[in-house]
Amino acid sequence: AQKVTQAQTEISVVEKEDVTLDCVYETRDTTYYLFWYKQPPSGELVFLIRRNSFDEQNEISGRYSWNFQKSTSSFNFTITASQVVDSAVYFCALSEAWLTGGGNKLTFGTGTQLKVEL
Amino acid sequence: DAGVIQSPRHEVTEMGQEVTLRCKPISGHDYLFWYRQTMMRGLELLIYFNNNVPIDDSGMPEDRFSAKMPNASFSTLKIQPSEPRDSAVYFCASSFSPGQGRGQPQHFGDGTRLSIL
């Protein structure tokens, strides 16, 4: 069975600090997809990034960067120079590959609440 | 472009009443999902549809819950009769099919915050 663990329940930082949100996953599939979603205080879920299991290149998008390491089954998310607007709950999620018959199910972690203070 | 649209945004009703939640997926998306979010259980997948056909409803908690997708642009999640423990935020999400790229992200609506008194 798939599992996603976000061990950090809550993180508080001061604005402009860098912060890393950890995500560790378990799957028996060799092909799978990893996602990060953001849930701001307003409540909607916003898609941030998708990564497939064959692509271990790190990705950077503005102040956001993602580090995918298959050797440690981790897909960590770093926010550089954090801002108050980054305050939200961040979810890591795992999906089985379509062709293995696992369908399209997303398994979510429990989320990390990030609070960025002035 | 319009995202996933859910209605109502908030619903407060008495125990025992029927509740109907509505969802309009993103145009062109072949998959539609219903999730429930609670503090205790986090995000749970209830049911999902492919081309309007229910594929997996194993997450539906009880027979009191039912979902339909009469056409490609509309789905409902119904609870009858409702109970206080059904209070949660219900999300609808949609995505493209694998034929248009594997591992397609699911795009979520703003959710319906349901309170059963």
Side-chain angles (χ1 to χ4, degrees):
Chain A
Q2 298 183 117
K3 185 178 180 182
V4 176
T5 301
Q6 294 181 257
Q8 304 151 308
T9 305
E10 185 173 318
I11 301 176
S12 290
V13 299
V14 176
E15 202 174 39
K16 297 184 183 178
E17 284 185 16
D18 298 348
V19 58
T20 295
L21 310 181
D22 298 332
C23 173
V24 174
Y25 62 90
E26 296 176 28
T27 180
R28 286 180 286 189
D29 288 337
T30 55
T31 303
Y32 49 89
Y33 300 87
L34 295 161
F35 304 81
W36 276 95
Y37 284 84
K38 173 182 180 180
Q39 188 172 37
S42 49
E44 69 272 25
L45 277 160
V46 179
F47 165 69
L48 296 178
I49 189 172
R50 170 192 61 198
R51 173 67 70 218
N52 75 54
S53 53
F54 295 111
D55 184 0
E56 288 193 72
Q57 282 191 336
N58 292 334
E59 181 155 341
I60 299 174
S61 176
R63 295 184 297 105
Y64 294 172
S65 63
W66 290 269
N67 180 258
F68 175 34
Q69 291 193 342
K70 287 182 74 171
S71 60
T72 56
S73 297
S74 65
F75 186 42
N76 297 336
F77 174 27
T78 298
I79 301 175
T80 303
S82 60
Q83 299 176 1
V84 172
V85 293
D86 296 327
S87 297
V89 180
Y90 291 87
F91 291 94
C92 181
L94 168 68
S95 174
E96 298 169 333
W98 297 88
L99 297 182
T100 62
N104 189 21
K105 293 182 180 182
L106 278 178
T107 300
F108 283 89
T110 50
T112 297
Q113 169 85 60
L114 174 64
K115 295 184 178 179
V116 182
E117 301 167 333
L118 292 171
Chain B
D1 292 339
V4 176
I5 300 172
Q6 291 187 246
S7 64
R9 288 297 311 275
H10 303 273
E11 175 88 11
V12 181
T13 191
E14 300 276 334
M15 180 176 65
Q17 297 296 307
E18 178 178 290
V19 173
T20 299
L21 310 181
R22 297 173 176 80
C23 175
K24 176 179 169 58
I26 293 172
S27 178
H29 281 186
D30 304 292
Y31 280 78
L32 183 138
F33 310 81
W34 283 100
Y35 289 86
R36 179 171 67 176
Q37 185 178 34
T38 61
M39 289 294 293
M40 291 297 294
R41 301 175 68 90
L43 275 159
E44 304 175 274
L45 176 65
L46 301 177
I47 185 172
Y48 74 92
F49 296 82
N50 176 216
N51 291 323
N52 314 337
V53 176
I55 303 300
D56 186 344
D57 65 355
S58 59
M60 297 285 262
E62 301 174 32
D63 291 345
R64 299 184 296 106
F65 286 70
S66 63
K68 294 182 180 179
M69 192 166 185
N71 57 62
S73 58
F74 183 65
S75 177
T76 59
L77 178 67
K78 188 171 294 187
I79 308 172
Q80 167 63 22
S82 58
E83 297 183 2
R85 60 192 167 124
D86 302 331
S87 298
V89 180
Y90 290 81
F91 286 101
C92 176
S94 69
S95 75
F96 284 117
S97 66
Q100 300 191 41
R102 303 179 192 176
Q104 289 293 332
Q106 296 177 21
H107 296 273
F108 286 75
D110 289 344
T112 294
R113 186 172 296 276
L114 178 63
S115 296
I116 309 296
L117 305 177

